[in-house]
Amino acid sequence: MATYSLDINAEEHFDFDIFSITCTESIYRVVHELNQALNIDLQLNDLLDFTHKEGEDFYFPLYTFTHDELNIEFNLLPNQTSFQPKIEGAQQKEFDLFAGDVEQTTRLIPELENSDYFLLIKGDNRYLYNHTIFESIKLNPAFIIVHEVFIEDLKDKKAKGNLLF
């Protein structure tokens, strides 16, 4: 019987552009600044579940906006989040910002330790607006450093997989 496997490292799976944002502000402030700079409306869409190798659960909040006229999807997520413990005997229904051990955190892309947030741009027309988006967010005084991240430059293959959602 033939065995098939999915090659998550294939370039066709990474059909998006990534901008790294270094900023001391909270995610709420970053969402506000991006909404103002790009004339979009990022909203909390999902919590990406990331299980650490020791079995702890970490949740990365994902903010999204789809610009229908430009056919571009914007996704914002933090590079770091804190541990969320399991509630014994009950299901954890909501993300609790204040729960968990604050000392225990993890990064989505560990090799980019100076990056606080990632803005992922998806869509067929993103190539036409990539530079305009970059220049718009780079000029924002709330952001310390903004640069484009190229998938092929990331060395950690597992970390690359964390960007597929």
Side-chain angles (χ1 to χ4, degrees):
M1 179 187 276
T3 303
Y4 300 96
S5 63
L6 175 65
D7 180 14
I8 66 165
N9 295 320
E11 291 298 317
E12 71 238 19
H13 296 294
F14 298 98
D15 192 22
F16 51 84
D17 297 327
I18 306 171
F19 298 110
S20 165
I21 300 172
T22 302
C23 177
T24 58
E25 301 291 338
S26 72
I27 194 160
Y28 307 111
R29 183 67 181 177
V30 172
V31 166
H32 172 76
E33 294 295 334
L34 288 173
N35 284 343
Q36 295 298 313
L38 301 174
N39 196 24
I40 60 175
D41 187 23
L42 289 166
Q43 299 288 324
L44 180 62
N45 184 37
D46 198 7
L47 296 171
L48 300 179
D49 186 6
F50 176 75
T51 303
H52 202 267
K53 53 188 160 195
E54 284 92 32
E56 297 101 351
D57 284 331
F58 294 88
Y59 296 100
F60 289 90
L62 174 66
Y63 293 81
T64 62
F65 176 76
T66 302
H67 198 294
D68 294 326
E69 293 174 16
L70 300 179
N71 192 24
I72 296 176
E73 180 183 327
F74 296 86
N75 297 284
L76 176 72
L77 63 158
N79 190 26
Q80 183 171 323
T81 192
S82 60
F83 172 62
Q84 292 294 308
K86 292 192 184 297
I87 298 174
E88 296 297 324
Q91 291 285 347
Q92 186 174 2
K93 294 182 181 175
E94 293 185 22
F95 176 72
D96 187 356
L97 181 63
F98 301 104
D101 185 2
V102 176
E103 298 298 320
Q104 194 172 3
T105 61
T106 192
R107 290 192 181 276
L108 193 66
I109 310 291
E111 68 184 90
L112 297 176
E113 63 185 37
N114 293 329
S115 298
D116 296 313
Y117 303 97
F118 297 114
L119 181 66
L120 281 72
I121 313 296
K122 298 179 180 181
D124 295 336
N125 292 336
R126 73 179 194 278
Y127 300 112
L128 301 172
Y129 300 98
N130 184 316
H131 184 71
T132 305
I133 293 168
F134 177 69
E135 289 298 321
S136 295
I137 60 178
K138 189 171 94 171
L139 294 174
N140 193 311
F143 304 148
I144 299 168
I145 299 171
V146 177
H147 70 276
E148 188 168 3
V149 176
F150 299 99
I151 293 291
E152 58 272 6
D153 293 342
L154 296 177
K155 296 175 184 139
D156 186 358
K157 292 180 181 181
K158 183 180 183 290
K160 286 181 187 181
N162 291 341
L163 295 171
L164 298 176
F165 51 87

PDB file of all heavy atoms in Angstrom, residues 93-117:
ATOM      1  N   LYS A  93     -13.975  27.279  28.368  1.00  0.00           N
ATOM      2  CA  LYS A  93     -14.759  27.787  27.250  1.00  0.00           C
ATOM      3  C   LYS A  93     -14.222  29.084  26.689  1.00  0.00           C
ATOM      4  O   LYS A  93     -14.383  29.372  25.532  1.00  0.00           O
ATOM      5  CB  LYS A  93     -16.215  27.969  27.677  1.00  0.00           C
ATOM      6  CG  LYS A  93     -16.890  26.652  27.991  1.00  0.00           C
ATOM      7  CD  LYS A  93     -18.321  26.851  28.371  1.00  0.00           C
ATOM      8  CE  LYS A  93     -18.936  25.503  28.710  1.00  0.00           C
ATOM      9  NZ  LYS A  93     -20.266  25.607  29.187  1.00  0.00           N
ATOM     10  N   GLU A  94     -13.594  29.899  27.519  1.00  0.00           N
ATOM     11  CA  GLU A  94     -13.127  31.196  27.061  1.00  0.00           C
ATOM     12  C   GLU A  94     -11.645  31.355  27.352  1.00  0.00           C
ATOM     13  O   GLU A  94     -11.118  30.802  28.307  1.00  0.00           O
ATOM     14  CB  GLU A  94     -13.893  32.323  27.760  1.00  0.00           C
ATOM     15  CG  GLU A  94     -15.347  32.383  27.366  1.00  0.00           C
ATOM     16  CD  GLU A  94     -16.036  33.575  27.989  1.00  0.00           C
ATOM     17  OE1 GLU A  94     -15.353  34.538  28.366  1.00  0.00           O
ATOM     18  OE2 GLU A  94     -17.251  33.540  28.089  1.00  0.00           O
ATOM     19  N   PHE A  95     -11.015  32.126  26.529  1.00  0.00           N
ATOM     20  CA  PHE A  95      -9.616  32.487  26.736  1.00  0.00           C
ATOM     21  C   PHE A  95      -9.552  33.460  27.900  1.00  0.00           C
ATOM     22  O   PHE A  95     -10.253  34.462  27.920  1.00  0.00           O
ATOM     23  CB  PHE A  95      -9.087  33.129  25.452  1.00  0.00           C
ATOM     24  CG  PHE A  95      -7.686  33.643  25.566  1.00  0.00           C
ATOM     25  CD1 PHE A  95      -6.628  32.752  25.622  1.00  0.00           C
ATOM     26  CD2 PHE A  95      -7.422  34.992  25.597  1.00  0.00           C
ATOM     27  CE1 PHE A  95      -5.331  33.212  25.697  1.00  0.00           C
ATOM     28  CE2 PHE A  95      -6.131  35.462  25.679  1.00  0.00           C
ATOM     29  CZ  PHE A  95      -5.074  34.570  25.729  1.00  0.00           C
ATOM     30  N   ASP A  96      -8.720  33.168  28.901  1.00  0.00           N
ATOM     31  CA  ASP A  96      -8.599  34.025  30.064  1.00  0.00           C
ATOM     32  C   ASP A  96      -7.245  34.718  30.025  1.00  0.00           C
ATOM     33  O   ASP A  96      -6.207  34.076  30.221  1.00  0.00           O
ATOM     34  CB  ASP A  96      -8.752  33.221  31.344  1.00  0.00           C
ATOM     35  CG  ASP A  96      -8.812  34.100  32.583  1.00  0.00           C
ATOM     36  OD1 ASP A  96      -8.663  35.334  32.451  1.00  0.00           O
ATOM     37  OD2 ASP A  96      -9.017  33.558  33.681  1.00  0.00           O
ATOM     38  N   LEU A  97      -7.263  36.001  29.744  1.00  0.00           N
ATOM     39  CA  LEU A  97      -6.042  36.777  29.613  1.00  0.00           C
ATOM     40  C   LEU A  97      -5.225  36.777  30.899  1.00  0.00           C
ATOM     41  O   LEU A  97      -4.007  36.820  30.873  1.00  0.00           O
ATOM     42  CB  LEU A  97      -6.390  38.220  29.216  1.00  0.00           C
ATOM     43  CG  LEU A  97      -5.244  39.192  29.016  1.00  0.00           C
ATOM     44  CD1 LEU A  97      -4.375  38.733  27.861  1.00  0.00           C
ATOM     45  CD2 LEU A  97      -5.769  40.581  28.756  1.00  0.00           C
ATOM     46  N   PHE A  98      -5.900  36.680  32.043  1.00  0.00           N
ATOM     47  CA  PHE A  98      -5.206  36.785  33.324  1.00  0.00           C
ATOM     48  C   PHE A  98      -4.948  35.440  33.979  1.00  0.00           C
ATOM     49  O   PHE A  98      -4.417  35.380  35.073  1.00  0.00           O
ATOM     50  CB  PHE A  98      -6.016  37.679  34.269  1.00  0.00           C
ATOM     51  CG  PHE A  98      -6.218  39.048  33.696  1.00  0.00           C
ATOM     52  CD1 PHE A  98      -7.437  39.423  33.162  1.00  0.00           C
ATOM     53  CD2 PHE A  98      -5.178  39.947  33.638  1.00  0.00           C
ATOM     54  CE1 PHE A  98      -7.626  40.672  32.609  1.00  0.00           C
ATOM     55  CE2 PHE A  98      -5.348  41.198  33.085  1.00  0.00           C
ATOM     56  CZ  PHE A  98      -6.572  41.570  32.574  1.00  0.00           C
ATOM     57  N   ALA A  99      -5.303  34.351  33.327  1.00  0.00           N
ATOM     58  CA  ALA A  99      -5.058  33.031  33.892  1.00  0.00           C
ATOM     59  C   ALA A  99      -3.667  32.555  33.513  1.00  0.00           C
ATOM     60  O   ALA A  99      -3.057  33.052  32.581  1.00  0.00           O
ATOM     61  CB  ALA A  99      -6.102  32.035  33.385  1.00  0.00           C
ATOM     62  N   GLY A 100      -3.188  31.587  34.244  1.00  0.00           N
ATOM     63  CA  GLY A 100      -1.928  30.950  33.873  1.00  0.00           C
ATOM     64  C   GLY A 100      -0.735  31.541  34.581  1.00  0.00           C
ATOM     65  O   GLY A 100      -0.815  32.545  35.281  1.00  0.00           O
ATOM     66  N   ASP A 101       0.365  30.882  34.393  1.00  0.00           N
ATOM     67  CA  ASP A 101       1.624  31.276  34.978  1.00  0.00           C
ATOM     68  C   ASP A 101       2.294  32.275  34.047  1.00  0.00           C
ATOM     69  O   ASP A 101       2.720  31.927  32.958  1.00  0.00           O
ATOM     70  CB  ASP A 101       2.491  30.024  35.150  1.00  0.00           C
ATOM     71  CG  ASP A 101       3.790  30.315  35.866  1.00  0.00           C
ATOM     72  OD1 ASP A 101       4.007  31.477  36.260  1.00  0.00           O
ATOM     73  OD2 ASP A 101       4.583  29.367  36.039  1.00  0.00           O
ATOM     74  N   VAL A 102       2.391  33.517  34.497  1.00  0.00           N
ATOM     75  CA  VAL A 102       2.933  34.576  33.656  1.00  0.00           C
ATOM     76  C   VAL A 102       4.402  34.328  33.341  1.00  0.00           C
ATOM     77  O   VAL A 102       4.909  34.723  32.304  1.00  0.00           O
ATOM     78  CB  VAL A 102       2.737  35.956  34.328  1.00  0.00           C
ATOM     79  CG1 VAL A 102       3.372  37.059  33.515  1.00  0.00           C
ATOM     80  CG2 VAL A 102       1.271  36.225  34.532  1.00  0.00           C
ATOM     81  N   GLU A 103       5.097  33.620  34.230  1.00  0.00           N
ATOM     82  CA  GLU A 103       6.503  33.333  34.019  1.00  0.00           C
ATOM     83  C   GLU A 103       6.728  32.370  32.859  1.00  0.00           C
ATOM     84  O   GLU A 103       7.800  32.288  32.317  1.00  0.00           O
ATOM     85  CB  GLU A 103       7.114  32.746  35.298  1.00  0.00           C
ATOM     86  CG  GLU A 103       7.066  33.691  36.484  1.00  0.00           C
ATOM     87  CD  GLU A 103       7.857  34.962  36.243  1.00  0.00           C
ATOM     88  OE1 GLU A 103       8.943  34.886  35.650  1.00  0.00           O
ATOM     89  OE2 GLU A 103       7.382  36.037  36.646  1.00  0.00           O
ATOM     90  N   GLN A 104       5.706  31.608  32.502  1.00  0.00           N
ATOM     91  CA  GLN A 104       5.857  30.592  31.470  1.00  0.00           C
ATOM     92  C   GLN A 104       5.246  31.100  30.168  1.00  0.00           C
ATOM     93  O   GLN A 104       4.043  31.197  30.019  1.00  0.00           O
ATOM     94  CB  GLN A 104       5.166  29.308  31.918  1.00  0.00           C
ATOM     95  CG  GLN A 104       5.533  28.122  31.099  1.00  0.00           C
ATOM     96  CD  GLN A 104       4.975  26.857  31.708  1.00  0.00           C
ATOM     97  OE1 GLN A 104       4.271  26.890  32.700  1.00  0.00           O
ATOM     98  NE2 GLN A 104       5.289  25.745  31.101  1.00  0.00           N
ATOM     99  N   THR A 105       6.107  31.435  29.216  1.00  0.00           N
ATOM    100  CA  THR A 105       5.659  31.945  27.931  1.00  0.00           C
ATOM    101  C   THR A 105       6.326  31.152  26.815  1.00  0.00           C
ATOM    102  O   THR A 105       7.300  30.436  27.046  1.00  0.00           O
ATOM    103  CB  THR A 105       6.003  33.434  27.766  1.00  0.00           C
ATOM    104  OG1 THR A 105       7.415  33.590  27.828  1.00  0.00           O
ATOM    105  CG2 THR A 105       5.336  34.292  28.827  1.00  0.00           C
ATOM    106  N   THR A 106       5.804  31.297  25.625  1.00  0.00           N
ATOM    107  CA  THR A 106       6.413  30.673  24.457  1.00  0.00           C
ATOM    108  C   THR A 106       6.294  31.627  23.284  1.00  0.00           C
ATOM    109  O   THR A 106       5.446  32.515  23.274  1.00  0.00           O
ATOM    110  CB  THR A 106       5.756  29.308  24.142  1.00  0.00           C
ATOM    111  OG1 THR A 106       6.569  28.623  23.185  1.00  0.00           O
ATOM    112  CG2 THR A 106       4.348  29.461  23.621  1.00  0.00           C
ATOM    113  N   ARG A 107       7.151  31.417  22.310  1.00  0.00           N
ATOM    114  CA  ARG A 107       7.147  32.238  21.105  1.00  0.00           C
ATOM    115  C   ARG A 107       6.694  31.400  19.917  1.00  0.00           C
ATOM    116  O   ARG A 107       7.029  30.231  19.808  1.00  0.00           O
ATOM    117  CB  ARG A 107       8.538  32.801  20.828  1.00  0.00           C
ATOM    118  CG  ARG A 107       8.950  33.845  21.827  1.00  0.00           C
ATOM    119  CD  ARG A 107      10.194  34.586  21.358  1.00  0.00           C
ATOM    120  NE  ARG A 107      10.592  35.565  22.338  1.00  0.00           N
ATOM    121  CZ  ARG A 107      10.087  36.789  22.423  1.00  0.00           C
ATOM    122  NH1 ARG A 107       9.176  37.174  21.579  1.00  0.00           N
ATOM    123  NH2 ARG A 107      10.490  37.622  23.343  1.00  0.00           N
ATOM    124  N   LEU A 108       5.959  32.037  19.041  1.00  0.00           N
ATOM    125  CA  LEU A 108       5.514  31.388  17.813  1.00  0.00           C
ATOM    126  C   LEU A 108       6.709  31.120  16.893  1.00  0.00           C
ATOM    127  O   LEU A 108       6.855  30.035  16.339  1.00  0.00           O
ATOM    128  CB  LEU A 108       4.482  32.277  17.113  1.00  0.00           C
ATOM    129  CG  LEU A 108       3.681  31.658  16.003  1.00  0.00           C
ATOM    130  CD1 LEU A 108       2.774  30.563  16.544  1.00  0.00           C
ATOM    131  CD2 LEU A 108       2.843  32.718  15.312  1.00  0.00           C
ATOM    132  N   ILE A 109       7.571  32.115  16.735  1.00  0.00           N
ATOM    133  CA  ILE A 109       8.796  31.998  15.941  1.00  0.00           C
ATOM    134  C   ILE A 109       9.965  32.367  16.867  1.00  0.00           C
ATOM    135  O   ILE A 109      10.330  33.535  16.980  1.00  0.00           O
ATOM    136  CB  ILE A 109       8.788  32.945  14.712  1.00  0.00           C
ATOM    137  CG1 ILE A 109       7.505  32.821  13.908  1.00  0.00           C
ATOM    138  CG2 ILE A 109      10.019  32.710  13.846  1.00  0.00           C
ATOM    139  CD1 ILE A 109       7.342  31.507  13.186  1.00  0.00           C
ATOM    140  N   PRO A 110      10.549  31.370  17.555  1.00  0.00           N
ATOM    141  CA  PRO A 110      11.596  31.662  18.546  1.00  0.00           C
ATOM    142  C   PRO A 110      12.823  32.379  17.989  1.00  0.00           C
ATOM    143  O   PRO A 110      13.426  33.188  18.685  1.00  0.00           O
ATOM    144  CB  PRO A 110      11.989  30.271  19.073  1.00  0.00           C
ATOM    145  CG  PRO A 110      10.837  29.391  18.760  1.00  0.00           C
ATOM    146  CD  PRO A 110      10.210  29.957  17.514  1.00  0.00           C
ATOM    147  N   GLU A 111      13.190  32.113  16.744  1.00  0.00           N
ATOM    148  CA  GLU A 111      14.399  32.748  16.214  1.00  0.00           C
ATOM    149  C   GLU A 111      14.209  34.240  15.943  1.00  0.00           C
ATOM    150  O   GLU A 111      15.183  34.959  15.776  1.00  0.00           O
ATOM    151  CB  GLU A 111      14.903  32.029  14.972  1.00  0.00           C
ATOM    152  CG  GLU A 111      14.034  32.139  13.754  1.00  0.00           C
ATOM    153  CD  GLU A 111      14.573  31.302  12.609  1.00  0.00           C
ATOM    154  OE1 GLU A 111      14.193  30.128  12.514  1.00  0.00           O
ATOM    155  OE2 GLU A 111      15.367  31.834  11.815  1.00  0.00           O
ATOM    156  N   LEU A 112      12.967  34.707  15.926  1.00  0.00           N
ATOM    157  CA  LEU A 112      12.691  36.138  15.771  1.00  0.00           C
ATOM    158  C   LEU A 112      12.292  36.712  17.129  1.00  0.00           C
ATOM    159  O   LEU A 112      11.201  37.244  17.319  1.00  0.00           O
ATOM    160  CB  LEU A 112      11.588  36.361  14.732  1.00  0.00           C
ATOM    161  CG  LEU A 112      11.917  35.897  13.313  1.00  0.00           C
ATOM    162  CD1 LEU A 112      10.717  36.076  12.401  1.00  0.00           C
ATOM    163  CD2 LEU A 112      13.121  36.637  12.769  1.00  0.00           C
ATOM    164  N   GLU A 113      13.212  36.617  18.066  1.00  0.00           N
ATOM    165  CA  GLU A 113      12.912  36.999  19.448  1.00  0.00           C
ATOM    166  C   GLU A 113      12.645  38.486  19.627  1.00  0.00           C
ATOM    167  O   GLU A 113      12.013  38.887  20.592  1.00  0.00           O
ATOM    168  CB  GLU A 113      14.032  36.546  20.381  1.00  0.00           C
ATOM    169  CG  GLU A 113      15.365  37.194  20.098  1.00  0.00           C
ATOM    170  CD  GLU A 113      16.466  36.621  20.955  1.00  0.00           C
ATOM    171  OE1 GLU A 113      16.469  35.415  21.216  1.00  0.00           O
ATOM    172  OE2 GLU A 113      17.338  37.411  21.362  1.00  0.00           O
ATOM    173  N   ASN A 114      13.114  39.324  18.714  1.00  0.00           N
ATOM    174  CA  ASN A 114      12.870  40.763  18.820  1.00  0.00           C
ATOM    175  C   ASN A 114      11.554  41.190  18.182  1.00  0.00           C
ATOM    176  O   ASN A 114      11.183  42.352  18.254  1.00  0.00           O
ATOM    177  CB  ASN A 114      14.028  41.547  18.212  1.00  0.00           C
ATOM    178  CG  ASN A 114      15.296  41.387  19.017  1.00  0.00           C
ATOM    179  OD1 ASN A 114      15.243  41.209  20.228  1.00  0.00           O
ATOM    180  ND2 ASN A 114      16.429  41.421  18.355  1.00  0.00           N
ATOM    181  N   SER A 115      10.868  40.267  17.540  1.00  0.00           N
ATOM    182  CA  SER A 115       9.575  40.575  16.918  1.00  0.00           C
ATOM    183  C   SER A 115       8.464  40.367  17.941  1.00  0.00           C
ATOM    184  O   SER A 115       8.379  39.321  18.568  1.00  0.00           O
ATOM    185  CB  SER A 115       9.328  39.653  15.724  1.00  0.00           C
ATOM    186  OG  SER A 115      10.308  39.856  14.741  1.00  0.00           O
ATOM    187  N   ASP A 116       7.629  41.381  18.089  1.00  0.00           N
ATOM    188  CA  ASP A 116       6.516  41.280  19.033  1.00  0.00           C
ATOM    189  C   ASP A 116       5.225  40.837  18.355  1.00  0.00           C
ATOM    190  O   ASP A 116       4.407  40.155  18.973  1.00  0.00           O
ATOM    191  CB  ASP A 116       6.294  42.626  19.724  1.00  0.00           C
ATOM    192  CG  ASP A 116       7.497  43.025  20.568  1.00  0.00           C
ATOM    193  OD1 ASP A 116       7.994  42.179  21.318  1.00  0.00           O
ATOM    194  OD2 ASP A 116       7.940  44.188  20.453  1.00  0.00           O
ATOM    195  N   TYR A 117       5.033  41.229  17.094  1.00  0.00           N
ATOM    196  CA  TYR A 117       3.802  40.913  16.363  1.00  0.00           C
ATOM    197  C   TYR A 117       4.137  40.580  14.920  1.00  0.00           C
ATOM    198  O   TYR A 117       5.148  41.051  14.385  1.00  0.00           O
ATOM    199  CB  TYR A 117       2.828  42.101  16.400  1.00  0.00           C
ATOM    200  CG  TYR A 117       2.490  42.537  17.800  1.00  0.00           C
ATOM    201  CD1 TYR A 117       3.144  43.597  18.407  1.00  0.00           C
ATOM    202  CD2 TYR A 117       1.517  41.858  18.527  1.00  0.00           C
ATOM    203  CE1 TYR A 117       2.849  43.972  19.704  1.00  0.00           C
ATOM    204  CE2 TYR A 117       1.213  42.233  19.832  1.00  0.00           C
ATOM    205  CZ  TYR A 117       1.888  43.286  20.407  1.00  0.00           C
ATOM    206  OH  TYR A 117       1.596  43.641  21.686  1.00  0.00           O
TER     207      TYR A 117
END
